[in-house]
């Protein structure tokens, strides 16, 4: 049975902050659970920020790394029991970004999304909701002003001019039970 199409908008982060890791968690929950509204999102943001309040200024200015995001996810999924997470591809090496997207596609469905990490030039965490290998597009539920989808050829595994580098080892699957 297909999920009904519900038009949602992701919660947006501020232009100058580095809180995309936090927003990727909130937007994953928001995308997967139709009842995850603004009140719950605001409460979750407060809870996440209270996990390491002394580091908030650092997260705000510099962003978050895989270790921070997984630590935060460990804490919030203890309370938000509807959700589980798993870091995949930690030790995998891909020949190219096409192979990565094809493998990632096997992990995404109506109850699972992926949080992925971009490197230069963007340095950003985003939520992938769908991958279409036929049209070579990834669909995002993003906290910044990214497009709803991006073409495969906008990415690479290595730092290259005019592409966004993917940090494949920082791929997190969020599952709604």
């Amino acid at each position: 049975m297909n999920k009904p199409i519900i038009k949602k908008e992701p919660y947006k982060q501020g232009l100058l902050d580095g809180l995309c890791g936090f927003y990727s968690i909130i937007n994953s929950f928001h995308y997967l659970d139709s009842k995850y509204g603004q009140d719950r999102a605001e409460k979750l943001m407060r809870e996440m920020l209270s996990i390491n309040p002394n580091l908030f200024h650092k997260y705000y200015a510099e962003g978050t790394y895989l270790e921070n995001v997984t630590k935060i996810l460990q804490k919030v999924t203890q309370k938000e029991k509807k959700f589980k997470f798993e870091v995949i591809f930690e030790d995998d090496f891909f020949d190219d970004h096409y192979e990565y997207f094809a493998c990632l596609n096997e992990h995404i469905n109506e109850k699972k999304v992926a949080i992925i990490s971009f490197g230069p030039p963007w340095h950003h965490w985003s939520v992938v909701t769908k991958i279409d290998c036929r049209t070579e597009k990834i669909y995002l539920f993003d906290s910044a002003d990214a497009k709803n989808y991006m073409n495969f050829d906008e990415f690479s595994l290595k730092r290259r001019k005019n592409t966004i580098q993917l940090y494949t080892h920082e791929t997190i699957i969020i599952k709604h039970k």
Side-chain angles (χ1 to χ4, degrees):
M1 173 183 267
N2 288 338
K3 223 178 184 181
I5 297 174
I6 300 170
K7 180 69 175 158
K8 289 187 190 184
E9 294 295 324
Y11 294 109
K12 300 290 186 182
Q13 71 184 94
L15 181 62
L16 302 177
D17 70 63
L19 297 177
C20 55
F22 292 81
Y23 276 89
S24 67
I25 294 169
I26 290 170
N27 282 332
S28 294
F29 292 3
H30 176 52
Y31 184 84
L32 291 169
D33 184 349
S34 62
K35 296 176 184 162
Y36 213 91
Q38 186 166 342
D39 289 343
R40 287 179 76 187
E42 289 173 359
K43 182 181 176 191
L44 179 58
M45 179 62 87
R46 287 191 299 276
E47 287 174 10
M48 290 189 298
L49 294 174
S50 71
I51 292 170
N52 283 318
N54 297 333
L55 295 177
F56 173 71
H57 65 285
K58 184 176 179 170
Y59 295 151
Y60 188 87
E62 298 174 18
T64 51
Y65 296 93
L66 179 64
E67 298 80 24
N68 309 119
V69 175
T70 55
K71 183 177 181 179
I72 291 165
L73 274 166
Q74 286 171 344
K75 298 277 187 181
V76 299
T77 55
Q78 289 173 355
K79 289 184 178 183
E80 298 283 345
K81 297 194 184 299
K82 290 182 182 180
F83 301 98
K84 284 185 150 187
F85 78 96
E86 170 185 18
V87 178
I88 60 172
F89 307 146
E90 282 180 293
D91 300 317
D92 291 345
F93 296 95
F94 298 97
D95 291 332
D96 56 33
H97 57 288
Y98 293 95
E99 181 185 14
Y100 168 70
F101 288 135
C103 290
L104 183 57
N105 186 43
E106 294 176 17
H107 293 274
I108 296 175
N109 60 41
E110 63 186 28
K111 292 189 175 208
K112 293 181 186 179
V113 295
I115 296 175
I116 65 170
S117 176
F118 305 147
W122 202 356
H123 296 287
H124 185 62
W125 291 94
S126 189
V127 179
V128 177
T129 60
K130 179 182 174 185
I131 297 174
D132 188 331
C133 291
R134 188 182 52 77
T135 62
E136 297 184 350
K137 292 182 180 355
I138 66 165
Y139 292 82
L140 303 173
F141 197 64
D142 192 72
S143 65
D145 284 328
K147 303 175 246 178
N148 291 335
Y149 69 87
M150 295 178 79
N151 296 312
F152 284 14
D153 62 5
E154 295 179 65
F155 297 93
S156 66
L157 297 184
K158 295 186 169 123
R159 191 173 191 165
R160 293 198 175 115
K161 191 175 182 175
N162 300 322
T163 63
I164 298 168
Q165 184 179 359
L166 292 163
Y167 292 146
T168 59
H169 65 284
E170 295 186 342
T171 302
I172 304 167
I173 299 297
I174 305 292
K175 179 183 179 185
H176 186 269
K177 294 181 186 180

